Amino acid sequence: MTVMDQSLPAQIQLIDQLEGHEDRAWHVAWNPARPILASCSADKNVRLYSYSASPQSEDNSIKFTHLTTIPTGHAKTVRAIAWSPSGKTLATASFDSNIGIWAQEGDEENEDGVSNAAGEWECMSLLEGHETECKSVAYSSSGSLLASCSRDKTVWIWEAHPDYDFECMGAPLPPLSLSSMVAHLNASLPAQILASASYDDTIKLYIDDPQEDWFCFQTLTGHESTVWTLAFSPDGRYLASGSDDCTIRIWERVQEHKWECVSVLEGHERSVYSISWGRGKPLDGGDAGSLGWLASTGGDGVIHVWEMRVRSSEKDPSKKTISHRAIAKIFNAHDVHDVNCVVWCPRKGSEDLFATAGDDGLVKVWKVIPS
Amino acid sequence: MSSEIFNPNPTIFAPTKSNKAAHAYAKPHSLWLDDGEHTEDEEYEQSDEPESIDQDEIFELIRSISDPEHRSMTLEQLAVVSAPQITFDPRHRDRITVEFTPTVPHCGMSTFIGLSIRVRLLRSLPQRFKVDIRVKPGSHQSEHSLNKQLNDKERVAAALENPALLEVLEQCLSSAGHPDHDH
């Protein structure tokens, strides 16, 4: 049974429950350009849903409709998915060690994009090279680069050329320490930084040196077990990480190439599998100090929503400090099951909406509403 | 699977007195011996209170798993598992830690043994149970990495998609009292 914490300033309301996966649902991704939500699962399928985002929907009347199911043909679990910034291409990362690139034949700019999306999605390219399970994929903000990571302890950067031609840039990134394993990654949009979270309890930050190749400029240590998930703040100045040590750490960019841990968020009782950092909708009017909302979830089945703020220090106003406040919490979000993924809706006006994927095979959509 | 022999001459222990009560209880009321897909006992379905499961009942599920290196012997006979090594989180009765003792500190089969215990419990216990599996402290030279791997859900999920590994796993589990019909 789903239980809500009533003492907090906001509630988390279930908007829709999307059934259809026949096995554990691992990941969900909102299309950045069109009102489409995608999910992937151990059943090797990707499911696409459209949702109505009518501007006057003051109530909770958002409706999700199943558009199509893509039988990916991956031989094993589809672990993660990522939309390109244009929203036309979807990448799938599979335990079969391959990355699939999916799009629709002759997809042109079309007003009626959603009905189009119900048509057939084809595998335009299959990126091979990883030696073991692929765990994550991420596009750069321009869509010209795609990063993938695997249990084989490498991160690969692929350059996207026209006609879905992907070229691997140089050697895999490079060299990670022997004990390390990349578990998840995220491409930061404004900062041009690639971050990877690792099985060796660290986070590695990479930049693209114009003179050379990508290189790791800092390794962040502090977590005491596997780092499962990463999320940059909307302004790119902070990075949040979630770990098997049950904590979330907030890292701040204190210099151009220097990040420091500035905060530790506690509250989960088992592994933190997923976090998402969205713009949020400040509960008490427009708040310039707000850094948006951070949502977290994991093996304890709990979803936390935290409001993140930056404040000037009282002693030294030029010094800024980050603070957080729990604004909503829900227990047993997917009944007794682990929750593997949480992602905020990027759509303007729907910043209070997020989706989750669980071991029960369900995808759920939730809304944060003031108490 | 490696053909290397890690422990050619294991010590064999007499099984503890079979827990008749738990066994007799478990067989007819197969709610947690079967997967959820099988018909469940209505008597238990109707109860709002989740039935409580004790140490002996969990032990009953794993004691007869075959050792991967010495297939004719069970984990109990080799003293790899025992009832006292099963503990409950005092605040959450459905969070369990199962500790096991590799027969030798360099045992290369330990991840496999841990995986077989995990899969057995995954298939047998009600879904509300969260299980942590660990080797007995000091019993294995790679204790930390072993524990980490056994509790990494991605690694476990990927392992179960490996047909060769799954085949051996099914063989070791087939002795565990109750054949699994699914997958």
Side-chain angles (χ1 to χ4, degrees):
Chain A
M1 193 191 311
T2 306
V3 181
M4 198 85 68
D5 188 329
Q6 304 280 355
S7 65
L8 296 174
Q11 305 290 314
I12 299 171
Q13 191 174 67
L14 183 66
I15 296 294
D16 213 338
Q17 177 168 306
L18 310 175
E19 298 169 14
H21 281 303
E22 287 160 17
D23 204 337
R24 163 187 288 153
W26 275 113
H27 199 199
V28 285
W30 300 88
N31 187 302
R34 300 190 274 179
I36 297 172
L37 178 67
S39 63
C40 66
S41 158
D43 71 7
K44 310 175 186 75
N45 290 333
V46 168
R47 294 177 64 86
L48 299 184
Y49 299 88
S50 68
Y51 57 99
S52 64
S54 70
Q56 67 269 31
S57 68
E58 197 58 45
D59 58 351
N60 300 317
S61 65
I62 297 177
K63 271 269 183 293
F64 284 75
T65 312
H66 178 238
L67 278 175
T68 187
T69 299
I70 307 172
T72 62
H74 280 297
K76 293 178 178 173
T77 286
V78 181
R79 172 64 184 90
I81 45 181
W83 289 100
S84 67
S86 71
K88 291 181 175 180
T89 307
L90 182 75
T92 50
S94 169
F95 280 178
D96 71 5
S97 79
N98 297 328
I99 306 288
I101 303 294
W102 303 82
Q104 294 188 287
E105 193 72 62
D107 185 18
E108 290 156 288
E109 292 298 341
N110 190 325
E111 287 297 302
D112 194 13
V114 175
S115 60
N116 255 357
E120 194 180 343
W121 289 73
E122 289 178 51
C123 185
M124 299 299 189
S125 189
L126 193 65
L127 312 186
E128 299 170 287
H130 280 298
E131 290 169 13
T132 53
E133 300 98 82
C134 281
K135 295 177 170 242
S136 189
V137 274
Y139 272 97
S140 65
S141 55
S142 65
S144 61
L145 298 176
L146 179 74
S148 62
C149 72
S150 155
R151 186 167 70 81
D152 67 11
K153 300 172 187 168
T154 62
V155 175
W156 290 50
I157 313 265
W158 310 80
E159 208 167 8
H161 297 302
D163 295 326
Y164 309 105
D165 179 24
F166 283 78
E167 185 187 355
C168 182
M169 295 177 70
L173 272 181
L176 302 175
S177 71
L178 260 182
S179 63
S180 87
M181 184 177 304
V182 178
H184 198 95
L185 52 85
N186 244 327
S188 157
L189 310 184
Q192 296 302 330
I193 289 174
L194 179 70
S196 71
S198 173
Y199 189 74
D200 73 358
D201 311 351
T202 71
I203 299 155
K204 289 188 185 288
L205 301 175
Y206 308 87
I207 48 167
D208 185 11
D209 185 324
Q211 259 70 54
E212 303 171 43
D213 278 338
W214 285 78
F215 71 98
C216 172
F217 69 89
Q218 194 178 356
T219 300
L220 305 178
T221 57
H223 277 300
E224 287 165 12
S225 192
T226 301
V227 187
W228 282 110
T229 175
L230 296 169
F232 282 98
S233 62
D235 67 2
R237 287 176 47 216
Y238 296 89
L239 174 70
S241 56
S243 160
D244 181 55
D245 68 12
C246 303
T247 69
I248 296 159
R249 284 176 175 260
I250 310 290
W251 312 81
E252 183 182 358
R253 184 183 206 174
V254 290
Q255 291 168 23
E256 193 183 356
H257 295 313
K258 190 168 173 224
W259 294 68
E260 273 176 11
C261 181
V262 290
S263 187
V264 179
L265 278 61
E266 292 176 348
H268 283 286
E269 292 190 341
R270 291 183 70 80
S271 262
V272 180
Y273 287 133
S274 182
I275 53 182
S276 180
W277 200 331
R279 294 188 185 279
K281 278 188 175 175
L283 293 169
D284 24 37
D287 185 341
S290 177
L291 277 174
W293 288 353
L294 185 71
S296 63
T297 193
D300 59 6
V302 175
I303 300 171
H304 283 278
V305 178
W306 324 78
E307 186 182 68
M308 308 303 292
R309 285 166 186 278
V310 64
R311 284 205 176 84
S312 297
S313 155
E314 282 177 21
K315 289 181 202 146
D316 178 4
S318 69
K319 235 177 130 55
K320 307 259 197 241
T321 56
I322 191 166
S323 68
H324 63 269
R325 150 172 101 126
I327 58 168
K329 179 180 183 181
I330 193 165
F331 300 88
N332 304 326
H334 283 246
D335 195 30
V336 296
H337 301 271
D338 290 8
V339 187
N340 297 315
C341 182
V342 58
V343 190
W344 289 106
C345 178
R347 209 164 176 82
K348 212 167 160 46
S350 299
E351 297 91 344
D352 50 0
L353 219 60
F354 64 86
T356 55
D359 271 359
D360 53 3
L362 295 176
V363 171
K364 295 187 178 188
V365 183
W366 310 82
K367 186 173 184 165
V368 178
I369 52 169
S371 291
Chain B
M1 300 279 295
S2 157
S3 57
E4 187 183 348
I5 305 290
F6 295 100
N7 184 4
N9 287 307
T11 312
I12 303 167
F13 298 81
T16 53
K17 202 165 38 149
S18 176
N19 190 328
K20 289 264 164 54
H23 203 69
Y25 165 85
K27 281 280 177 183
H29 305 289
S30 56
L31 176 62
W32 45 271
L33 272 180
D34 275 343
D35 296 281
E37 291 159 32
H38 299 283
T39 49
E40 293 171 346
D41 198 299
E42 280 182 19
E43 182 184 335
Y44 287 89
E45 271 295 272
Q46 284 162 3
S47 167
D48 285 343
E49 280 292 302
E51 64 179 309
S52 80
I53 292 179
D54 67 21
Q55 203 180 48
D56 287 333
E57 290 166 316
I58 307 258
F59 181 57
E60 200 62 37
L61 294 169
I62 59 172
R63 63 193 300 177
S64 309
I65 298 173
S66 301
D67 180 79
E69 193 163 291
H70 307 280
R71 298 279 176 84
S72 60
M73 280 176 263
T74 67
L75 295 185
E76 182 189 24
Q77 285 173 316
L78 298 177
V80 172
V81 295
S82 67
Q85 285 178 287
I86 298 164
T87 52
F88 293 80
D89 183 330
R91 291 181 306 135
H92 302 274
R93 281 293 291 180
D94 46 13
R95 294 185 188 170
I96 307 167
T97 300
V98 178
E99 191 185 276
F100 69 99
T101 315
T103 55
V104 284
H106 57 276
C107 179
M109 290 291 172
S110 296
T111 47
F112 188 86
I113 292 171
L115 185 66
S116 66
I117 296 171
R118 174 169 292 291
V119 171
R120 177 71 180 143
L121 296 179
L122 204 65
R123 291 178 179 176
S124 309
L125 290 173
Q127 293 177 320
R128 67 175 190 275
F129 282 88
K130 309 263 185 194
V131 180
D132 288 325
I133 296 187
R134 307 189 165 277
V135 289
K136 184 182 178 182
S139 71
H140 198 278
Q141 58 192 17
S142 314
E143 184 179 325
H144 178 72
S145 66
L146 202 52
N147 286 340
K148 203 165 181 178
Q149 187 173 341
L150 288 172
N151 295 294
D152 180 326
K153 76 184 284 184
E154 276 186 345
R155 292 296 297 275
V156 171
L160 297 182
E161 288 188 322
N162 178 336
L165 195 147
L166 199 60
E167 193 187 329
V168 183
L169 191 71
E170 297 293 2
Q171 287 167 16
C172 289
L173 289 178
S174 64
S175 61
H178 210 86
D180 296 283
H181 305 292
D182 59 337
H183 310 295

Short mmCIF file of all heavy atoms in Angstrom, two decimals, chain A residues 145 157 169 173-174 191-194 205-217 256-257:
data_model
loop_
_atom_site.label_atom_id
_atom_site.label_comp_id
_atom_site.label_asym_id
_atom_site.label_seq_id
_atom_site.Cartn_x
_atom_site.Cartn_y
_atom_site.Cartn_z
N LEU A 145 27.05 14.27 -29.97
CA LEU A 145 27.83 13.22 -29.31
C LEU A 145 26.92 12.31 -28.50
O LEU A 145 25.90 12.75 -27.96
CB LEU A 145 28.88 13.83 -28.37
CG LEU A 145 29.95 14.73 -28.97
CD1 LEU A 145 30.81 15.31 -27.86
CD2 LEU A 145 30.80 13.97 -29.97
N ILE A 157 32.79 7.47 -26.38
CA ILE A 157 32.13 8.65 -26.94
C ILE A 157 31.96 8.42 -28.43
O ILE A 157 32.93 8.09 -29.13
CB ILE A 157 32.98 9.92 -26.73
CG1 ILE A 157 33.47 10.00 -25.29
CG2 ILE A 157 32.20 11.15 -27.17
CD1 ILE A 157 32.66 10.81 -24.35
N MET A 169 34.88 7.89 -31.18
CA MET A 169 35.98 8.84 -31.10
C MET A 169 37.14 8.26 -30.31
O MET A 169 37.10 8.19 -29.10
CB MET A 169 35.52 10.13 -30.43
CG MET A 169 34.48 10.86 -31.26
SD MET A 169 33.90 12.31 -30.39
CE MET A 169 35.36 13.36 -30.47
N LEU A 173 37.32 5.64 -23.30
CA LEU A 173 37.76 6.48 -22.17
C LEU A 173 38.03 5.60 -20.95
O LEU A 173 37.21 4.76 -20.67
CB LEU A 173 36.65 7.43 -21.77
CG LEU A 173 36.58 8.76 -22.47
CD1 LEU A 173 35.41 9.55 -21.91
CD2 LEU A 173 37.85 9.53 -22.32
N PRO A 174 38.95 5.94 -20.18
CA PRO A 174 40.32 5.76 -20.58
C PRO A 174 41.23 6.11 -19.49
O PRO A 174 41.03 7.14 -18.97
CB PRO A 174 40.52 6.88 -21.53
CG PRO A 174 39.95 8.10 -20.83
CD PRO A 174 38.77 7.52 -20.17
N ALA A 191 27.83 22.80 -19.04
CA ALA A 191 29.23 22.80 -18.64
C ALA A 191 30.12 21.98 -19.57
O ALA A 191 31.32 22.00 -19.44
CB ALA A 191 29.35 22.27 -17.21
N GLN A 192 29.53 21.25 -20.53
CA GLN A 192 30.33 20.40 -21.42
C GLN A 192 31.18 19.43 -20.63
O GLN A 192 32.35 19.25 -20.89
CB GLN A 192 31.20 21.25 -22.35
CG GLN A 192 30.41 22.11 -23.31
CD GLN A 192 29.46 21.30 -24.20
OE1 GLN A 192 29.74 20.16 -24.52
NE2 GLN A 192 28.35 21.88 -24.57
N ILE A 193 30.56 18.86 -19.64
CA ILE A 193 31.26 17.88 -18.80
C ILE A 193 30.51 16.56 -18.90
O ILE A 193 29.29 16.53 -18.94
CB ILE A 193 31.28 18.34 -17.33
CG1 ILE A 193 32.21 19.54 -17.18
CG2 ILE A 193 31.70 17.21 -16.40
CD1 ILE A 193 32.16 20.14 -15.80
N LEU A 194 31.28 15.50 -18.94
CA LEU A 194 30.68 14.18 -18.86
C LEU A 194 31.04 13.60 -17.50
O LEU A 194 32.19 13.65 -17.09
CB LEU A 194 31.25 13.29 -19.98
CG LEU A 194 30.74 11.86 -20.01
CD1 LEU A 194 29.29 11.80 -20.44
CD2 LEU A 194 31.59 11.04 -20.98
N LEU A 205 34.93 12.86 -13.66
CA LEU A 205 34.48 13.98 -14.48
C LEU A 205 35.43 14.13 -15.66
O LEU A 205 36.65 14.15 -15.48
CB LEU A 205 34.46 15.26 -13.65
CG LEU A 205 33.58 15.24 -12.40
CD1 LEU A 205 33.74 16.54 -11.61
CD2 LEU A 205 32.12 15.05 -12.78
N TYR A 206 34.86 14.24 -16.86
CA TYR A 206 35.67 14.34 -18.08
C TYR A 206 35.33 15.63 -18.81
O TYR A 206 34.18 16.09 -18.79
CB TYR A 206 35.36 13.19 -19.03
CG TYR A 206 35.46 11.80 -18.44
CD1 TYR A 206 34.36 11.24 -17.79
CD2 TYR A 206 36.63 11.07 -18.54
CE1 TYR A 206 34.44 9.96 -17.25
CE2 TYR A 206 36.71 9.78 -18.00
CZ TYR A 206 35.62 9.23 -17.36
OH TYR A 206 35.68 7.97 -16.83
N ILE A 207 36.33 16.20 -19.48
CA ILE A 207 36.04 17.29 -20.41
C ILE A 207 36.71 17.02 -21.74
O ILE A 207 37.64 16.22 -21.84
CB ILE A 207 36.52 18.68 -19.89
CG1 ILE A 207 37.95 18.58 -19.39
CG2 ILE A 207 35.57 19.26 -18.88
CD1 ILE A 207 38.58 19.92 -19.17
N ASP A 208 36.24 17.73 -22.73
CA ASP A 208 36.75 17.58 -24.08
C ASP A 208 37.80 18.65 -24.29
O ASP A 208 37.49 19.83 -24.39
CB ASP A 208 35.59 17.77 -25.06
CG ASP A 208 36.02 17.52 -26.49
OD1 ASP A 208 37.13 17.01 -26.69
OD2 ASP A 208 35.24 17.86 -27.39
N ASP A 209 39.04 18.23 -24.31
CA ASP A 209 40.12 19.17 -24.57
C ASP A 209 40.23 19.37 -26.08
O ASP A 209 40.40 18.42 -26.82
CB ASP A 209 41.43 18.59 -24.01
CG ASP A 209 42.57 19.58 -24.14
OD1 ASP A 209 42.62 20.32 -25.14
OD2 ASP A 209 43.41 19.61 -23.23
N PRO A 210 40.10 20.64 -26.55
CA PRO A 210 40.15 20.88 -28.00
C PRO A 210 41.45 20.35 -28.62
O PRO A 210 41.47 19.93 -29.77
CB PRO A 210 40.06 22.40 -28.13
CG PRO A 210 39.60 22.90 -26.81
CD PRO A 210 39.97 21.87 -25.78
N GLN A 211 42.54 20.42 -27.84
CA GLN A 211 43.83 19.98 -28.37
C GLN A 211 43.94 18.45 -28.37
O GLN A 211 44.55 17.86 -29.25
CB GLN A 211 44.98 20.56 -27.53
CG GLN A 211 45.64 21.74 -28.19
CD GLN A 211 44.72 22.96 -28.18
OE1 GLN A 211 44.23 23.35 -27.14
NE2 GLN A 211 44.47 23.54 -29.34
N GLU A 212 43.37 17.86 -27.32
CA GLU A 212 43.53 16.40 -27.21
C GLU A 212 42.17 15.74 -27.23
O GLU A 212 41.20 16.29 -27.70
CB GLU A 212 44.26 16.06 -25.90
CG GLU A 212 45.62 16.73 -25.79
CD GLU A 212 46.21 16.56 -24.40
OE1 GLU A 212 46.12 15.43 -23.87
OE2 GLU A 212 46.75 17.53 -23.85
N ASP A 213 42.13 14.55 -26.68
CA ASP A 213 40.87 13.84 -26.57
C ASP A 213 40.20 14.18 -25.25
O ASP A 213 40.68 15.01 -24.50
CB ASP A 213 41.14 12.33 -26.63
CG ASP A 213 41.28 11.87 -28.07
OD1 ASP A 213 40.78 12.59 -28.96
OD2 ASP A 213 41.90 10.82 -28.29
N TRP A 214 39.10 13.52 -25.00
CA TRP A 214 38.45 13.65 -23.71
C TRP A 214 39.39 13.13 -22.63
O TRP A 214 40.08 12.15 -22.83
CB TRP A 214 37.17 12.83 -23.69
CG TRP A 214 36.06 13.44 -24.47
CD1 TRP A 214 35.92 13.44 -25.82
CD2 TRP A 214 34.95 14.16 -23.95
NE1 TRP A 214 34.78 14.11 -26.17
CE2 TRP A 214 34.15 14.55 -25.04
CE3 TRP A 214 34.53 14.50 -22.67
CZ2 TRP A 214 32.98 15.28 -24.89
CZ3 TRP A 214 33.36 15.21 -22.51
CH2 TRP A 214 32.60 15.60 -23.61
N PHE A 215 39.42 13.80 -21.49
CA PHE A 215 40.20 13.24 -20.40
C PHE A 215 39.52 13.50 -19.06
O PHE A 215 38.70 14.40 -18.93
CB PHE A 215 41.64 13.80 -20.41
CG PHE A 215 41.74 15.24 -20.00
CD1 PHE A 215 42.10 15.58 -18.70
CD2 PHE A 215 41.49 16.26 -20.92
CE1 PHE A 215 42.19 16.91 -18.32
CE2 PHE A 215 41.58 17.59 -20.54
CZ PHE A 215 41.93 17.92 -19.24
N CYS A 216 39.87 12.67 -18.09
CA CYS A 216 39.31 12.78 -16.75
C CYS A 216 40.08 13.84 -15.99
O CYS A 216 41.29 13.73 -15.81
CB CYS A 216 39.43 11.43 -16.04
SG CYS A 216 38.98 11.49 -14.30
N PHE A 217 39.39 14.91 -15.58
CA PHE A 217 40.10 15.98 -14.86
C PHE A 217 39.91 15.89 -13.36
O PHE A 217 40.63 16.53 -12.61
CB PHE A 217 39.70 17.36 -15.38
CG PHE A 217 38.28 17.77 -15.05
CD1 PHE A 217 38.00 18.43 -13.86
CD2 PHE A 217 37.24 17.51 -15.92
CE1 PHE A 217 36.69 18.81 -13.54
CE2 PHE A 217 35.94 17.88 -15.62
CZ PHE A 217 35.66 18.53 -14.43
N GLU A 256 36.78 26.35 -12.13
CA GLU A 256 36.38 25.82 -13.44
C GLU A 256 36.53 24.31 -13.50
O GLU A 256 35.66 23.62 -14.01
CB GLU A 256 37.19 26.49 -14.56
CG GLU A 256 36.56 26.16 -15.90
CD GLU A 256 37.33 26.71 -17.08
OE1 GLU A 256 38.33 27.41 -16.86
OE2 GLU A 256 36.91 26.43 -18.22
N HIS A 257 37.65 23.80 -13.00
CA HIS A 257 37.86 22.36 -13.08
C HIS A 257 38.02 21.74 -11.71
O HIS A 257 38.83 20.85 -11.50
CB HIS A 257 39.08 22.04 -13.96
CG HIS A 257 38.88 22.45 -15.39
ND1 HIS A 257 37.72 22.16 -16.08
CD2 HIS A 257 39.66 23.15 -16.24
CE1 HIS A 257 37.82 22.64 -17.30
NE2 HIS A 257 38.98 23.26 -17.42
#
